[in-house]
Amino acid sequence: MLLKTQDSKLNRIYAYIVFLVWPFLSAILAVFNYRAAYAKNIVWLFCAFFGYTFIISDGEMDANRYKRWLVEMHKRADEPYARLLVEPYKDKGIYAGTDVYSHLMTLTVSRFTDDFRFFFGLIGLIFGYFYSRNIFMVLAHIKEKRLVLLSVLLLMTLFLLIPFWNINGYRFYTAAMVFLYGVLKIMLERKYGYFWVALLSPLVHFSFAVPVLTLLIYIIVGNRVWIYMLALAGSLFMVDLNPKTINENADLAPVFMQNKVKGYSSGDYIKYLQRIQTDMNWYVRGRMYAIQFCIYSMLMAALIFRRKYLSDIRAQRLLAYGTLLLAVANVVSSVPSMGRFFTIAAFVLVASYILMVQQRPEAKIFRYLGYVYFVPVLIFAIVEIRIGFDFIVLNTLFLNPLIAPFSLILLL
Protein backbone atom coordinates (compact mmCIF):
# COMPACT_ATOMS: atom_id res chain seq x y z
CA MET A 1 0.00 0.00 0.00
CA LEU A 2 1.39 3.40 -1.01
CA LEU A 3 1.95 6.15 1.46
CA LYS A 4 -0.46 9.05 1.11
CA THR A 5 0.79 11.75 -1.18
CA GLN A 6 0.02 14.39 1.44
CA ASP A 7 3.31 15.83 2.61
CA SER A 8 2.41 15.80 6.29
CA LYS A 9 4.95 15.55 9.07
CA LEU A 10 3.61 12.10 9.97
CA ASN A 11 4.04 10.84 6.42
CA ARG A 12 7.60 12.10 6.36
CA ILE A 13 8.34 10.22 9.57
CA TYR A 14 6.78 7.05 8.13
CA ALA A 15 8.84 7.42 4.96
CA TYR A 16 12.14 7.58 6.86
CA ILE A 17 11.13 4.69 9.12
CA VAL A 18 10.39 2.58 6.04
CA PHE A 19 13.83 3.51 4.69
CA LEU A 20 15.52 2.35 7.89
CA VAL A 21 13.61 -0.94 7.76
CA TRP A 22 13.65 -1.63 4.02
CA PRO A 23 15.45 0.93 1.80
CA PHE A 24 14.53 -0.75 -1.48
CA LEU A 25 10.81 -0.59 -0.72
CA SER A 26 11.11 3.01 0.46
CA ALA A 27 12.72 4.01 -2.85
CA ILE A 28 9.88 2.41 -4.82
CA LEU A 29 7.28 4.17 -2.66
CA ALA A 30 9.14 7.47 -3.09
CA VAL A 31 8.92 7.18 -6.87
CA PHE A 32 5.16 6.60 -6.73
CA ASN A 33 4.77 9.44 -4.22
CA TYR A 34 7.01 11.77 -6.22
CA ARG A 35 4.93 14.85 -5.33
CA ALA A 36 5.89 14.55 -1.66
CA ALA A 37 8.81 16.72 -0.55
CA TYR A 38 10.47 13.81 1.25
CA ALA A 39 10.55 11.64 -1.91
CA LYS A 40 13.74 13.16 -3.28
CA ASN A 41 15.50 12.65 0.05
CA ILE A 42 14.52 8.98 0.14
CA VAL A 43 15.92 8.48 -3.37
CA TRP A 44 19.05 10.35 -2.26
CA LEU A 45 19.54 8.13 0.79
CA PHE A 46 18.86 5.00 -1.22
CA CYS A 47 21.68 5.91 -3.63
CA ALA A 48 24.03 6.14 -0.64
CA PHE A 49 22.78 2.79 0.67
CA PHE A 50 23.30 1.23 -2.75
CA GLY A 51 26.86 2.54 -2.75
CA TYR A 52 27.49 0.98 0.66
CA THR A 53 26.07 -2.41 -0.38
CA PHE A 54 27.52 -2.28 -3.90
CA ILE A 55 29.46 -5.50 -4.60
CA ILE A 56 32.62 -5.29 -6.68
CA SER A 57 32.95 -8.45 -8.73
CA ASP A 58 36.14 -9.77 -10.23
CA GLY A 59 36.87 -8.57 -13.72
CA GLU A 60 37.37 -5.34 -15.62
CA MET A 61 35.23 -3.05 -13.49
CA ASP A 62 36.27 0.55 -12.89
CA ALA A 63 35.35 0.03 -9.26
CA ASN A 64 38.15 -2.53 -8.85
CA ARG A 65 40.69 0.13 -9.74
CA TYR A 66 39.15 2.58 -7.28
CA LYS A 67 39.20 -0.10 -4.58
CA ARG A 68 42.89 -0.85 -5.14
CA TRP A 69 43.69 2.85 -5.10
CA LEU A 70 41.89 3.26 -1.75
CA VAL A 71 43.89 0.39 -0.23
CA GLU A 72 47.16 1.85 -1.52
CA MET A 73 46.40 5.29 -0.15
CA HIS A 74 45.39 3.80 3.20
CA LYS A 75 48.85 2.20 3.46
CA ARG A 76 50.27 5.73 3.22
CA ALA A 77 47.94 7.18 5.84
CA ASP A 78 50.88 8.14 8.04
CA GLU A 79 52.26 10.49 5.36
CA PRO A 80 51.30 14.20 5.45
CA TYR A 81 47.85 14.82 3.97
CA ALA A 82 48.87 18.05 2.23
CA ARG A 83 51.84 16.40 0.49
CA LEU A 84 49.74 13.51 -0.81
CA LEU A 85 47.03 15.94 -1.88
CA VAL A 86 49.32 17.82 -4.30
CA GLU A 87 51.44 14.83 -5.28
CA PRO A 88 49.59 13.95 -8.53
CA TYR A 89 49.75 17.54 -9.78
CA LYS A 90 53.03 19.06 -8.66
CA ASP A 91 55.91 19.18 -11.19
CA LYS A 92 54.37 16.44 -13.35
CA GLY A 93 53.97 18.31 -16.66
CA ILE A 94 51.88 16.33 -19.12
CA TYR A 95 51.61 13.55 -16.52
CA ALA A 96 49.84 15.77 -14.01
CA GLY A 97 46.63 14.33 -12.64
CA THR A 98 43.23 15.61 -13.78
CA ASP A 99 41.04 13.71 -11.33
CA VAL A 100 40.72 16.28 -8.56
CA TYR A 101 37.46 14.97 -7.09
CA SER A 102 38.45 11.31 -7.21
CA HIS A 103 41.85 11.94 -5.63
CA LEU A 104 40.39 14.16 -2.92
CA MET A 105 37.71 11.59 -2.03
CA THR A 106 40.10 8.64 -2.01
CA LEU A 107 42.74 10.43 0.01
CA THR A 108 40.25 11.70 2.60
CA VAL A 109 38.48 8.37 3.12
CA SER A 110 41.81 6.51 3.24
CA ARG A 111 42.75 8.52 6.32
CA PHE A 112 40.10 6.57 8.24
CA THR A 113 39.59 3.22 6.49
CA ASP A 114 40.39 1.03 3.50
CA ASP A 115 36.87 -0.45 3.52
CA PHE A 116 35.50 0.21 0.04
CA ARG A 117 31.93 0.06 1.40
CA PHE A 118 32.38 3.37 3.21
CA PHE A 119 34.06 4.87 0.17
CA PHE A 120 31.28 3.90 -2.26
CA GLY A 121 28.65 4.81 0.31
CA LEU A 122 30.04 8.35 0.29
CA ILE A 123 30.29 8.29 -3.50
CA GLY A 124 26.65 7.20 -3.66
CA LEU A 125 25.65 9.93 -1.22
CA ILE A 126 27.18 12.67 -3.37
CA PHE A 127 25.96 11.20 -6.67
CA GLY A 128 22.53 10.60 -5.17
CA TYR A 129 22.13 14.19 -4.04
CA PHE A 130 22.48 15.56 -7.56
CA TYR A 131 20.64 12.62 -9.16
CA SER A 132 17.60 13.07 -6.93
CA ARG A 133 17.62 16.87 -7.19
CA ASN A 134 17.85 16.84 -10.98
CA ILE A 135 14.97 14.44 -11.52
CA PHE A 136 12.70 15.98 -8.92
CA MET A 137 13.52 19.46 -10.19
CA VAL A 138 12.03 18.46 -13.54
CA LEU A 139 9.00 16.95 -11.79
CA ALA A 140 8.47 20.14 -9.81
CA HIS A 141 8.13 22.17 -13.01
CA ILE A 142 5.54 20.12 -14.88
CA LYS A 143 2.33 22.08 -15.29
CA GLU A 144 -0.35 19.39 -15.41
CA LYS A 145 0.07 16.89 -12.56
CA ARG A 146 -1.94 14.13 -14.25
CA LEU A 147 0.58 12.09 -16.18
CA VAL A 148 -0.29 10.63 -19.57
CA LEU A 149 1.32 7.49 -21.01
CA LEU A 150 3.94 9.42 -22.98
CA SER A 151 4.98 11.38 -19.88
CA VAL A 152 5.32 8.17 -17.87
CA LEU A 153 7.53 6.69 -20.58
CA LEU A 154 9.66 9.83 -20.70
CA LEU A 155 10.01 9.92 -16.92
CA MET A 156 11.06 6.27 -16.93
CA THR A 157 13.68 7.19 -19.51
CA LEU A 158 14.86 10.13 -17.39
CA PHE A 159 15.38 7.88 -14.36
CA LEU A 160 17.32 5.31 -16.41
CA LEU A 161 19.50 7.44 -18.70
CA ILE A 162 22.06 7.89 -15.91
CA PRO A 163 20.94 5.37 -13.26
CA PHE A 164 22.39 5.11 -9.76
CA TRP A 165 24.24 1.86 -10.54
CA ASN A 166 26.51 3.89 -12.82
CA ILE A 167 28.60 4.76 -9.78
CA ASN A 168 30.76 1.86 -10.97
CA GLY A 169 32.25 4.61 -13.17
CA TYR A 170 31.45 7.34 -10.68
CA ARG A 171 33.80 10.06 -11.98
CA PHE A 172 32.08 10.63 -15.32
CA TYR A 173 28.54 10.14 -14.09
CA THR A 174 28.91 12.24 -10.95
CA ALA A 175 30.35 14.98 -13.18
CA ALA A 176 27.30 14.54 -15.41
CA MET A 177 24.92 15.03 -12.50
CA VAL A 178 26.79 18.07 -11.18
CA PHE A 179 26.80 19.60 -14.66
CA LEU A 180 23.10 18.86 -15.22
CA TYR A 181 22.22 20.42 -11.87
CA GLY A 182 23.73 23.71 -13.03
CA VAL A 183 22.05 23.38 -16.44
CA LEU A 184 18.58 22.72 -15.02
CA LYS A 185 18.86 25.61 -12.56
CA ILE A 186 19.73 27.93 -15.44
CA MET A 187 17.12 26.61 -17.89
CA LEU A 188 14.22 26.08 -15.50
CA GLU A 189 14.76 28.87 -13.00
CA ARG A 190 16.95 31.38 -14.87
CA LYS A 191 19.52 31.26 -12.06
CA TYR A 192 22.67 31.96 -14.03
CA GLY A 193 24.80 31.92 -10.90
CA TYR A 194 24.56 28.13 -11.09
CA PHE A 195 26.89 28.25 -14.08
CA TRP A 196 29.59 28.05 -11.42
CA VAL A 197 28.16 24.71 -10.27
CA ALA A 198 28.36 23.41 -13.84
CA LEU A 199 31.91 24.78 -13.96
CA LEU A 200 32.84 22.41 -11.11
CA SER A 201 32.13 19.34 -13.27
CA PRO A 202 35.57 19.29 -15.01
CA LEU A 203 37.10 18.89 -11.55
CA VAL A 204 35.14 15.64 -11.27
CA HIS A 205 35.95 14.48 -14.82
CA PHE A 206 38.23 16.55 -17.05
CA SER A 207 36.21 15.86 -20.22
CA PHE A 208 33.39 18.07 -18.96
CA ALA A 209 35.34 21.07 -20.17
CA VAL A 210 33.53 20.28 -23.46
CA PRO A 211 29.89 20.55 -22.24
CA VAL A 212 30.80 23.54 -20.05
CA LEU A 213 31.98 25.28 -23.21
CA THR A 214 28.67 24.46 -24.94
CA LEU A 215 26.77 25.91 -21.99
CA LEU A 216 28.79 29.11 -22.23
CA ILE A 217 28.04 29.28 -25.97
CA TYR A 218 24.32 28.85 -25.25
CA ILE A 219 24.33 31.60 -22.61
CA ILE A 220 25.99 33.97 -25.11
CA VAL A 221 24.02 32.97 -28.24
CA GLY A 222 20.67 32.24 -26.59
CA ASN A 223 17.67 30.28 -27.89
CA ARG A 224 18.75 29.99 -31.54
CA VAL A 225 17.25 26.57 -32.06
CA TRP A 226 17.60 26.58 -35.86
CA ILE A 227 21.30 27.41 -35.61
CA TYR A 228 21.68 24.48 -33.24
CA MET A 229 19.66 22.27 -35.59
CA LEU A 230 22.03 23.14 -38.44
CA ALA A 231 24.93 22.26 -36.14
CA LEU A 232 23.19 18.95 -35.31
CA ALA A 233 22.67 18.17 -38.99
CA GLY A 234 26.32 18.94 -39.70
CA SER A 235 27.46 16.82 -36.78
CA LEU A 236 25.92 13.73 -38.35
CA PHE A 237 28.63 13.94 -41.01
CA MET A 238 31.39 14.21 -38.40
CA VAL A 239 30.69 11.10 -36.33
CA ASP A 240 33.60 9.30 -37.99
CA LEU A 241 36.23 11.72 -36.69
CA ASN A 242 39.48 9.76 -36.52
CA PRO A 243 40.76 9.40 -32.92
CA LYS A 244 44.27 9.13 -34.37
CA THR A 245 44.00 12.76 -35.47
CA ILE A 246 43.19 13.79 -31.91
CA ASN A 247 46.04 11.68 -30.57
CA GLU A 248 48.51 13.31 -32.95
CA ASN A 249 47.34 16.80 -31.95
CA ALA A 250 47.10 16.20 -28.21
CA ASP A 251 49.76 18.86 -27.59
CA LEU A 252 47.17 21.50 -28.49
CA ALA A 253 45.36 20.70 -25.23
CA PRO A 254 46.43 22.30 -21.93
CA VAL A 255 49.62 20.72 -20.61
CA PHE A 256 48.00 18.93 -17.67
CA MET A 257 45.39 17.35 -20.00
CA GLN A 258 47.70 16.14 -22.76
CA ASN A 259 48.46 12.76 -21.24
CA LYS A 260 44.75 12.06 -20.71
CA VAL A 261 43.88 13.10 -24.25
CA LYS A 262 46.59 10.83 -25.64
CA GLY A 263 45.45 7.96 -23.42
CA TYR A 264 41.78 8.22 -24.44
CA SER A 265 42.67 8.35 -28.13
CA SER A 266 45.48 5.78 -28.13
CA GLY A 267 45.33 2.71 -30.33
CA ASP A 268 45.54 0.34 -27.35
CA TYR A 269 42.60 2.00 -25.60
CA ILE A 270 40.55 1.93 -28.80
CA LYS A 271 41.22 -1.82 -29.20
CA TYR A 272 40.29 -2.39 -25.55
CA LEU A 273 36.92 -0.67 -25.99
CA GLN A 274 36.31 -2.43 -29.29
CA ARG A 275 36.85 -5.76 -27.54
CA ILE A 276 34.31 -4.78 -24.88
CA GLN A 277 31.82 -3.73 -27.58
CA THR A 278 32.30 -7.05 -29.39
CA ASP A 279 31.65 -9.00 -26.19
CA MET A 280 28.38 -7.13 -25.54
CA ASN A 281 25.12 -8.93 -26.13
CA TRP A 282 23.15 -7.61 -29.11
CA TYR A 283 20.38 -6.30 -26.89
CA VAL A 284 22.82 -4.23 -24.81
CA ARG A 285 23.84 -2.37 -27.97
CA GLY A 286 20.28 -2.42 -29.28
CA ARG A 287 18.86 -0.54 -26.29
CA MET A 288 20.81 2.55 -27.37
CA TYR A 289 19.41 2.37 -30.91
CA ALA A 290 15.93 2.24 -29.36
CA ILE A 291 16.47 5.33 -27.23
CA GLN A 292 18.20 7.19 -30.07
CA PHE A 293 15.12 6.60 -32.22
CA CYS A 294 12.96 8.13 -29.49
CA ILE A 295 15.24 11.13 -28.90
CA TYR A 296 15.67 12.09 -32.56
CA SER A 297 12.09 11.46 -33.69
CA MET A 298 10.66 13.36 -30.71
CA LEU A 299 13.02 16.23 -31.49
CA MET A 300 11.67 16.35 -35.05
CA ALA A 301 8.09 16.29 -33.75
CA ALA A 302 8.82 19.09 -31.26
CA LEU A 303 10.26 21.29 -34.01
CA ILE A 304 7.50 20.58 -36.53
CA PHE A 305 4.71 21.28 -34.03
CA ARG A 306 6.58 23.84 -31.95
CA ARG A 307 4.16 26.72 -32.58
CA LYS A 308 1.23 24.70 -31.28
CA TYR A 309 2.77 22.67 -28.45
CA LEU A 310 6.11 24.20 -27.53
CA SER A 311 4.76 27.25 -25.69
CA ASP A 312 6.57 26.64 -22.39
CA ILE A 313 9.67 28.87 -22.41
CA ARG A 314 11.47 26.46 -20.08
CA ALA A 315 10.88 23.61 -22.53
CA GLN A 316 12.13 25.85 -25.35
CA ARG A 317 15.36 26.61 -23.52
CA LEU A 318 15.97 22.95 -22.71
CA LEU A 319 15.20 21.90 -26.28
CA ALA A 320 17.56 24.49 -27.76
CA TYR A 321 20.44 23.68 -25.44
CA GLY A 322 19.85 19.93 -25.67
CA THR A 323 20.06 20.18 -29.47
CA LEU A 324 23.39 22.00 -29.25
CA LEU A 325 24.74 19.48 -26.75
CA LEU A 326 23.57 16.59 -28.94
CA ALA A 327 25.45 18.08 -31.89
CA VAL A 328 28.66 18.28 -29.87
CA ALA A 329 28.09 14.75 -28.53
CA ASN A 330 27.92 13.49 -32.12
CA VAL A 331 31.17 15.22 -33.04
CA VAL A 332 33.13 13.67 -30.15
CA SER A 333 31.33 10.29 -30.17
CA SER A 334 34.04 8.56 -32.22
CA VAL A 335 36.61 9.36 -29.53
CA PRO A 336 36.67 6.39 -27.13
CA SER A 337 34.40 6.87 -24.08
CA MET A 338 33.11 10.23 -25.36
CA GLY A 339 29.95 8.62 -26.70
CA ARG A 340 28.68 8.87 -23.13
CA PHE A 341 27.92 12.54 -23.74
CA PHE A 342 24.86 11.38 -25.69
CA THR A 343 23.15 10.43 -22.43
CA ILE A 344 23.68 13.95 -21.04
CA ALA A 345 22.18 15.58 -24.13
CA ALA A 346 19.36 13.03 -24.02
CA PHE A 347 18.66 13.90 -20.37
CA VAL A 348 18.23 17.58 -21.26
CA LEU A 349 16.04 16.82 -24.26
CA VAL A 350 13.84 14.33 -22.39
CA ALA A 351 13.29 16.95 -19.65
CA SER A 352 12.18 19.33 -22.40
CA TYR A 353 9.80 16.74 -23.88
CA ILE A 354 8.22 16.09 -20.48
CA LEU A 355 7.47 19.79 -19.96
CA MET A 356 6.12 20.06 -23.50
CA VAL A 357 3.81 17.07 -23.17
CA GLN A 358 2.50 18.09 -19.75
CA GLN A 359 1.68 21.55 -21.11
CA ARG A 360 -0.96 19.94 -23.34
CA PRO A 361 -1.42 16.35 -22.10
CA GLU A 362 -4.86 16.05 -23.71
CA ALA A 363 -3.46 16.52 -27.24
CA LYS A 364 -4.09 13.59 -29.58
CA ILE A 365 -0.57 13.64 -30.98
CA PHE A 366 0.88 12.88 -27.55
CA ARG A 367 -1.51 9.98 -27.11
CA TYR A 368 -0.41 8.53 -30.46
CA LEU A 369 3.26 9.08 -29.66
CA GLY A 370 2.75 7.24 -26.38
CA TYR A 371 1.79 4.15 -28.39
CA VAL A 372 4.69 4.66 -30.84
CA TYR A 373 7.32 4.94 -28.10
CA PHE A 374 5.93 2.29 -25.78
CA VAL A 375 7.94 -0.61 -27.29
CA PRO A 376 11.32 1.15 -27.78
CA VAL A 377 11.21 2.72 -24.30
CA LEU A 378 10.22 -0.61 -22.80
CA ILE A 379 13.17 -2.28 -24.58
CA PHE A 380 15.53 0.39 -23.28
CA ALA A 381 14.13 0.17 -19.73
CA ILE A 382 14.17 -3.64 -19.50
CA VAL A 383 17.74 -3.94 -20.78
CA GLU A 384 18.98 -1.04 -18.62
CA ILE A 385 17.41 -2.55 -15.49
CA ARG A 386 18.88 -5.93 -16.45
CA ILE A 387 22.31 -4.24 -16.55
CA GLY A 388 21.55 -2.72 -13.17
CA PHE A 389 21.00 -6.13 -11.64
CA ASP A 390 24.62 -6.94 -12.36
CA PHE A 391 25.31 -4.44 -9.55
CA ILE A 392 22.15 -4.62 -7.43
CA VAL A 393 22.60 -7.73 -5.32
CA LEU A 394 20.65 -9.21 -2.41
CA ASN A 395 22.37 -6.79 -0.04
CA THR A 396 20.71 -3.83 -1.73
CA LEU A 397 17.34 -5.54 -2.06
CA PHE A 398 16.94 -6.92 1.45
CA LEU A 399 19.37 -5.38 3.92
CA ASN A 400 18.94 -2.07 5.69
CA PRO A 401 21.31 0.54 7.17
CA LEU A 402 20.95 -0.93 10.66
CA ILE A 403 22.12 -4.45 9.83
CA ALA A 404 24.20 -3.98 6.66
CA PRO A 405 27.46 -3.18 8.52
CA PHE A 406 27.19 -6.41 10.49
CA SER A 407 25.88 -8.77 7.82
CA LEU A 408 27.82 -11.20 5.71
CA ILE A 409 28.09 -10.15 2.08
CA LEU A 410 25.34 -11.83 0.10
CA LEU A 411 25.84 -12.60 -3.57
CA LEU A 412 23.33 -13.48 -6.24
Side-chain angles (χ1 to χ4, degrees):
M1 182 177 181
L2 302 183
L3 296 172
K4 295 180 180 179
T5 56
Q6 284 184 304
D7 191 21
S8 67
K9 183 177 180 180
L10 187 60
N11 280 340
R12 288 197 296 273
I13 294 173
Y14 285 156
Y16 291 114
I17 290 175
V18 172
F19 172 79
L20 289 174
V21 175
W22 194 356
F24 183 69
L25 176 62
S26 73
I28 294 174
L29 295 178
V31 172
F32 281 103
N33 292 313
Y34 66 90
R35 296 189 188 97
Y38 61 76
K40 60 186 176 185
N41 289 334
I42 296 297
V43 172
W44 174 23
L45 292 173
F46 178 75
C47 290
F49 179 72
F50 167 76
Y52 185 82
T53 56
F54 173 55
I55 298 299
I56 302 178
S57 61
D58 294 331
E60 298 177 337
M61 288 179 63
D62 290 341
N64 276 310
R65 185 172 70 255
Y66 303 139
K67 180 181 179 180
R68 290 193 297 269
W69 189 13
L70 177 67
V71 172
E72 289 300 315
M73 293 303 294
H74 184 67
K75 292 177 181 177
R76 303 176 64 184
D78 57 338
E79 298 181 37
Y81 182 91
R83 180 161 64 82
L84 292 178
L85 183 63
V86 301
E87 184 180 72
Y89 319 105
K90 187 178 180 181
D91 302 325
K92 295 295 179 69
I94 66 170
Y95 300 106
T98 57
D99 302 327
V100 177
Y101 169 73
S102 179
H103 178 60
L104 179 64
M105 292 292 293
T106 304
L107 177 60
T108 301
V109 173
S110 71
R111 295 275 118 173
F112 309 100
T113 181
D114 62 353
D115 190 336
F116 71 90
R117 295 179 302 170
F118 290 99
F119 177 75
F120 275 100
L122 187 57
I123 292 298
L125 185 70
I126 296 172
F127 173 90
Y129 175 82
F130 291 101
Y131 175 76
S132 60
R133 267 55 189 173
N134 288 343
I135 289 178
F136 284 89
M137 196 189 314
V138 175
L139 287 169
H141 283 85
I142 61 176
K143 181 177 180 181
E144 176 59 55
K145 301 301 182 183
R146 182 180 61 85
L147 299 177
V148 295
L149 174 62
L150 181 56
S151 297
V152 172
L153 294 173
L154 290 171
L155 282 170
M156 186 187 307
T157 302
L158 200 70
F159 270 95
L160 293 173
L161 276 169
I162 308 176
F164 59 84
W165 49 82
N166 277 7
I167 65 168
N168 170 54
Y170 74 87
R171 293 184 303 118
F172 183 90
Y173 293 109
T174 301
M177 283 298 155
V178 172
F179 176 74
L180 286 168
Y181 185 74
V183 168
L184 292 176
K185 282 290 186 179
I186 291 171
M187 303 299 169
L188 296 177
E189 301 175 10
R190 304 294 282 177
K191 295 181 178 179
Y192 286 97
Y194 280 87
F195 175 77
W196 298 104
V197 175
L199 197 58
L200 293 175
S201 59
L203 298 178
V204 185
H205 196 281
F206 80 99
S207 64
F208 274 78
V210 174
V212 166
L213 180 60
T214 67
L215 182 57
L216 183 60
I217 292 172
Y218 171 84
I219 291 173
I220 295 172
V221 176
N223 264 17
R224 302 292 189 268
V225 67
W226 287 111
I227 294 177
Y228 305 144
M229 278 301 300
L230 288 174
L232 177 60
S235 72
L236 296 176
F237 298 97
M238 300 178 66
V239 294
D240 292 325
L241 181 67
N242 192 345
K244 184 179 179 181
T245 302
I246 297 175
N247 188 271
E248 292 173 347
N249 293 277
D251 56 346
L252 297 177
V255 172
F256 70 94
M257 293 177 61
Q258 289 178 16
N259 191 48
K260 282 284 188 178
V261 173
K262 287 182 178 179
Y264 273 94
S265 57
S266 68
D268 289 341
Y269 189 63
I270 293 170
K271 290 178 182 177
Y272 164 70
L273 291 183
Q274 287 175 339
R275 178 165 55 83
I276 292 177
Q277 289 288 331
T278 303
D279 292 340
M280 281 184 179
N281 292 319
W282 63 269
Y283 54 81
V284 175
R285 296 191 299 271
R287 85 191 194 285
M288 294 310 299
Y289 296 130
I291 204 62
Q292 285 171 357
F293 162 74
C294 296
I295 295 297
Y296 279 100
S297 59
M298 191 74 179
L299 178 58
M300 293 299 104
L303 291 172
I304 293 171
F305 299 104
R306 68 190 186 284
R307 295 189 183 277
K308 187 173 183 179
Y309 298 111
L310 197 61
S311 57
D312 190 323
I313 186 61
R314 298 164 302 176
Q316 292 174 18
R317 290 193 290 260
L318 288 167
L319 186 81
Y321 177 64
T323 303
L324 172 61
L325 193 55
L326 185 58
V328 174
N330 283 339
V331 172
V332 301
S333 63
S334 58
V335 180
S337 294
M338 294 298 101
R340 294 179 292 183
F341 281 120
F342 168 80
T343 59
I344 303 166
F347 192 101
V348 176
L349 287 170
V350 169
S352 170
Y353 303 157
I354 292 169
L355 296 183
M356 180 180 68
V357 173
Q358 286 303 119
Q359 191 76 14
R360 294 280 301 277
E362 75 286 351
K364 289 184 179 180
I365 185 174
F366 295 142
R367 185 169 72 247
Y368 295 147
L369 287 175
Y371 301 142
V372 170
Y373 293 139
F374 182 80
V375 172
V377 169
L378 196 63
I379 291 172
F380 170 74
I382 290 173
V383 176
E384 197 64 50
I385 292 171
R386 166 62 187 84
I387 293 171
F389 272 94
D390 287 338
F391 305 98
I392 301 173
V393 293
L394 295 178
N395 290 21
T396 305
L397 295 178
F398 297 112
L399 296 183
N400 64 48
L402 302 177
I403 63 175
F406 311 103
S407 299
L408 294 175
I409 294 178
L410 304 173
L411 296 173
L412 287 176

